Amino acid sequence: MAVNFVRQQRIDGENPVDRFGAYSIEVDGEVIIGATGEVADINNDGFLDLIVGAGFAENGEDIGKVYIFFGNGTGRFDGSPILSAADADIIIEGENPGDFFGASVAITDINNDGLLDLVIGAPGTDFAAMNAGSVYVFLNQGGTPNFFPSSAASADLRIDGNQAFSQFGSFIATGDFNNDGLPDLAVGAPVFDVGAAPDAGAIFTFFNQGPPTFFPTSAASANQTIFGAVTDEGFGVNIVPVDINNDGFVDLVVGSPLHSPSLALLSAGAVYIFLNDGLGNFPTSITTASQTITGSQAGMQLGSCIDIADLGGDGDLDLIAGAPQFNPGGATNQGALFIFFNNGSLTPPFFAANSDLADARIDGENPDDFFGQSCHIADIDLVNGPDILVGATRFDVGTAENVGAVYLFLNQGFGVFASNAANADLRIVGEQAGDRFGSGIKTGDLTNDGLQDLLIGARLANFGGEDSGSIYSFIQQVQPPVNGEGRRPHCEQVIASRVIADEIFYIEDDEENIPIGEIIVPPGSTIDGVVTVTVLQCTPRIDPVLDRLFADLVFMVQKELTITTPDESLIPLEFGMRLQRSLEFRKSFPSVLEAIDPDLLVGLECHIVRIAGTDVVTLNPSTPNPVTGELQQDASFDEELTVLVKVKLVQERQLIMQACSPTHQVDIEVTTSNNVP
């Protein structure tokens, strides 16, 4: 299936220097690009709306605004092909010059009333201290047209930063960190000073306390602070809340493009993973992060963009990370996107340790393209799993410099993508020189046809005045495959291990009065020891009646126990037992399989990714003989055994596909000369 997008609308910033279309954070002279905006159904009419923050808004005074455009199911947010931000359905203005209100925007239902609320960052406010920054919470009132007030001064809640110049509110993410059913906040302060490390950055987490207060009013009262540790790193941008290890708790994945692993690797960048302990607590510093993935080339800025999805179709979440200043083969600032596949472990490491060890890499097309400045994952063609979109903000079109472009890479199956932007399945280029088209990328079904549409930011477009910025909407049109057009396809066989099924199982075994043997155990004795669980056998099978995949597993449970008597003498015990269980796989891949062919068992192997066992042992000492009163040889123990095992069914070294470069590549040039229907 060929994919095509049709431009529907351009929305221009209303003032010069608004940079409508993507906010940029400056740390130590380096620019970090933020998001284009968000899409969500604010007014509950069944159509996605567009919410855009413009932190530089208001004629260079940087007061900041947030614009809301109501969708109508056409891919436009009004009937006109060209729209001004001034025509938004709702405009919320910041309070003071230099506030940068709208630098970040998050959307969630804060009060669980079924209406989406707004959380808006203003990293330049001076309420607690100069440029300490603030976060505003706006509860959706549900009324037409007054869903939200028109000014930040009327927000329902304001949370202030607690350090001057820290830029608290530069980035906001939401997720239920403590599993209480209420959305919590993670707020970045990328210029926060940590001890002797200026601008090291920090992330503050806030638990939702429910009405009427919801959150504390100061970062000083945050539930937790995660601190950076490296000078000028700017830690606290690109925060993605996601359950990275499938344990049911929301973790944090953070891109930090200015991280310097060493003096030889200044601004190589990093991606940090902070695991949730189940109570909403995370490691408190980048130095104790659950895993750190570092850039391997100075200045490459790994983590400038990050996104997460199951690219390989094995049930585990994979990671992409942009490095816009990566130099492949010495090509300056060509940029690259690195792909890291999750190994499926429940404990770190989940990914390769650095960019050199990445599972795959997509290189930019030309020097100075800054390919990887933005990135996004979405299933565009509804085939083979999620696809990848990458922005190259300084792509040149002929003599027009820094026009910008967005590339689409379709998933060829099992996480296989083209390795170079020149072989992308689709490229959309900007409208004019200097636009920085591709500075932000979002997707959403704007037309309710089941297909993902595009929103692309061009933060320095000049249609509303110099550097006013613009956002473009494109709707997707599915086209039949095109044969014989474009370049001749190049195909090669891909031989790799293919994951057929993946499952986490919990096996419990409770037994009472297990005899200890001919040992007298006096009252007051205690018992402890070590339990080891191993898998002796794992046999995949198919139930032809149920048409389901199963695995028959045989476990060996070995107990090395010690009884400590009141006189502190030790009695060693060794026990072993076999457990056999038949386990059903609920997650089978590829998902398009409606029936499981018995031939699938050929070459199928069990991979035990993780296994762990816990055993609660209770000692039952010897009892007195009812006649003689002497202790009897009837000591025993009770046990509650729980075994966790994660199993993957894998076909080893199978020819899984023909990987081909596209048979048809289209450039969509965004030009004002086109008549947009």
Side-chain angles (χ1 to χ4, degrees):
M1 179 176 70
V3 173
N4 190 33
F5 289 93
V6 177
R7 172 181 162 183
Q8 288 297 102
Q9 193 170 49
R10 189 188 75 215
I11 308 175
D12 300 326
E14 62 176 321
N15 305 294
V17 204
D18 277 5
R19 300 181 187 178
F20 180 89
Y23 179 75
S24 60
I25 303 166
E26 187 168 312
V27 179
D28 192 35
E30 298 281 353
V31 173
I32 303 169
I33 305 297
T36 299
E38 300 291 336
V39 286
D41 187 4
I42 291 293
N43 57 355
N44 269 358
D45 65 350
F47 301 115
L48 288 178
D49 310 312
L50 174 63
I51 305 93
V52 183
F56 293 93
E58 209 61 53
N59 290 317
E61 293 187 352
D62 304 332
I63 298 172
K65 295 182 179 181
V66 171
Y67 303 85
I68 301 175
F69 305 84
F70 292 151
N72 56 21
T74 66
R76 296 180 181 176
F77 301 95
D78 163 302
S80 173
I82 297 177
L83 191 65
S84 170
D87 299 322
D89 295 279
I90 298 175
I91 300 177
I92 309 173
E93 298 189 16
E95 294 190 73
N96 304 291
D99 280 1
F100 295 97
F101 177 82
S104 56
V105 178
I107 302 167
T108 187
D109 187 359
I110 293 288
N111 54 352
N112 276 354
D113 64 351
L115 299 172
L116 292 174
D117 310 307
L118 298 181
V119 187
I120 300 172
T125 65
D126 301 330
F127 295 110
M130 183 172 290
N131 294 145
S134 301
V135 168
Y136 295 83
V137 177
F138 297 82
L139 299 179
N140 193 330
Q141 303 302 314
T144 304
N146 299 317
F147 295 89
F148 302 104
S150 60
S151 172
S154 301
D156 295 275
L157 175 69
R158 192 187 75 223
I159 309 170
D160 295 328
N162 64 336
Q163 186 186 94
F165 305 105
S166 64
Q167 296 189 16
F168 173 84
S170 293
F171 202 98
I172 304 170
T174 65
D176 185 4
F177 303 141
N178 59 349
N179 274 7
D180 65 351
L182 297 173
D184 309 310
L185 301 180
V187 181
V191 200
F192 192 92
D193 296 337
V194 181
D199 299 348
I203 295 173
F204 299 81
T205 61
F206 301 86
F207 293 161
N208 191 332
Q209 303 165 359
T213 58
F214 296 104
F215 302 103
T217 58
S218 172
S221 301
N223 293 92
Q224 187 178 6
T225 306
I226 307 172
F227 294 102
V230 180
T231 297
D232 296 328
E233 177 169 0
F235 172 76
V237 298
N238 295 341
I239 307 168
V240 180
V242 66
D243 183 5
I244 202 69
N245 60 345
N246 282 329
D247 65 351
F249 306 122
V250 178
D251 312 306
L252 296 179
V253 182
V254 183
S256 193
L258 302 184
H259 175 72
S260 300
S262 66
L263 290 176
L265 291 173
L266 295 177
S267 296
V271 177
Y272 300 101
I273 298 169
F274 300 89
L275 292 184
N276 189 333
D277 69 352
L279 301 174
N281 302 310
F282 304 95
T284 57
S285 170
I286 65 170
T287 60
T288 56
S290 306
Q291 183 180 0
T292 302
I293 307 168
T294 56
S296 304
Q297 185 184 98
M300 64 186 288
Q301 297 191 7
L302 183 74
S304 292
C305 70
I306 57 174
D307 207 354
I308 296 166
D310 180 11
L311 298 174
D314 62 355
D316 299 315
L317 293 175
D318 308 309
L319 167 71
I320 64 172
Q325 298 188 51
F326 180 73
N327 303 327
T332 305
N333 299 331
Q334 186 166 321
L337 185 89
F338 293 83
I339 301 174
F340 300 87
F341 290 125
N342 194 325
N343 62 21
S345 176
L346 293 178
T347 57
F350 309 105
F351 306 100
N354 57 62
S355 59
D356 276 350
L357 301 176
D359 298 279
R361 190 183 84 204
I362 306 174
D363 290 336
E365 192 170 359
N366 310 290
D368 297 317
D369 275 359
F370 283 71
F371 177 88
Q373 188 76 75
S374 59
C375 57
H376 185 69
I377 297 175
D379 192 354
I380 299 297
D381 63 352
L382 303 180
V383 177
N384 295 331
D387 310 303
I388 296 175
L389 293 145
V390 185
T393 57
R394 303 194 190 186
F395 178 85
D396 299 337
V397 179
T399 59
E401 297 181 347
N402 299 331
V403 175
V406 170
Y407 296 81
L408 169 64
F409 301 87
L410 297 178
N411 193 331
Q412 300 175 26
F414 307 101
V416 177
F417 299 90
S419 61
N420 192 284
N423 296 321
D425 296 273
L426 186 69
R427 182 178 65 198
I428 306 175
V429 301
E431 190 160 358
Q432 60 184 13
D435 280 1
R436 306 291 175 87
F437 180 83
S439 50
I441 306 170
K442 289 289 181 181
T443 59
D445 185 1
L446 302 179
T447 57
N448 286 354
D449 61 355
L451 301 175
Q452 292 293 301
D453 306 304
L454 283 180
L455 292 161
I456 300 177
R459 69 185 185 96
L460 298 185
N462 298 324
F463 299 105
E466 186 177 0
D467 296 344
S468 56
S470 297
I471 291 177
Y472 295 83
S473 69
F474 300 83
I475 63 170
Q476 185 181 169
Q477 291 186 338
V478 178
Q479 297 181 336
V482 180
N483 297 317
E485 294 187 21
R487 62 187 177 276
R488 188 175 179 181
H490 169 72
C491 300
E492 59 181 335
Q493 293 181 345
V494 176
I495 299 177
S497 299
R498 176 168 69 167
V499 178
I500 300 299
D502 175 24
E503 200 70 69
I504 295 176
F505 303 99
Y506 289 91
I507 302 169
E508 297 180 345
D509 188 76
D510 298 341
E511 294 193 38
E512 297 181 352
N513 298 316
I514 303 172
I516 290 176
E518 298 181 359
I519 298 175
I520 301 298
V521 180
S525 300
T526 59
I527 187 170
D528 59 14
V530 177
V531 178
T532 304
V533 181
T534 56
V535 174
L536 298 180
Q537 185 178 346
C538 180
T539 306
R541 65 178 172 87
I542 293 173
D543 189 309
V545 178
L546 299 176
D547 212 19
R548 302 280 180 82
L549 270 175
F550 291 82
D552 296 326
L553 281 89
V554 179
F555 299 87
M556 173 59 75
V557 182
Q558 294 177 303
K559 311 177 195 298
E560 297 180 5
L561 308 177
T562 302
I563 299 173
T564 304
T565 64
D567 62 359
E568 297 187 354
S569 61
L570 304 179
I571 303 173
L573 297 175
E574 291 187 3
F575 286 83
M577 60 181 296
R578 292 164 65 100
L579 292 178
Q580 186 168 349
R581 295 289 188 275
S582 180
L583 309 175
E584 178 184 352
F585 290 86
R586 298 180 299 274
K587 296 188 295 182
S588 297
F589 314 97
S591 58
V592 298
L593 289 178
E594 297 181 357
I596 298 176
D597 191 337
D599 292 339
L600 199 66
L601 290 176
V602 177
L604 198 61
E605 298 180 359
C606 295
H607 286 196
I608 310 299
V609 180
R610 176 166 171 81
I611 184 168
T614 59
D615 202 18
V616 179
V617 181
T618 304
L619 179 64
N620 305 311
S622 303
T623 59
N625 185 293
V627 178
T628 64
E630 296 180 351
L631 294 177
Q632 304 179 131
Q633 296 177 352
D634 61 356
S636 63
F637 64 88
D638 304 336
E639 71 165 358
E640 298 179 3
L641 175 67
T642 302
V643 178
L644 178 151
V645 57
K646 183 169 184 178
V647 183
K648 289 187 178 184
L649 296 184
V650 178
Q651 282 185 324
E652 291 287 352
R653 306 284 304 168
Q654 298 291 311
L655 176 61
I656 60 175
M657 63 183 306
Q658 293 275 334
C660 303
S661 60
T663 59
H664 184 64
Q665 182 185 35
V666 177
D667 279 353
I668 301 177
E669 294 193 12
V670 182
T671 61
T672 55
S673 61
N674 290 341
N675 292 319
V676 182

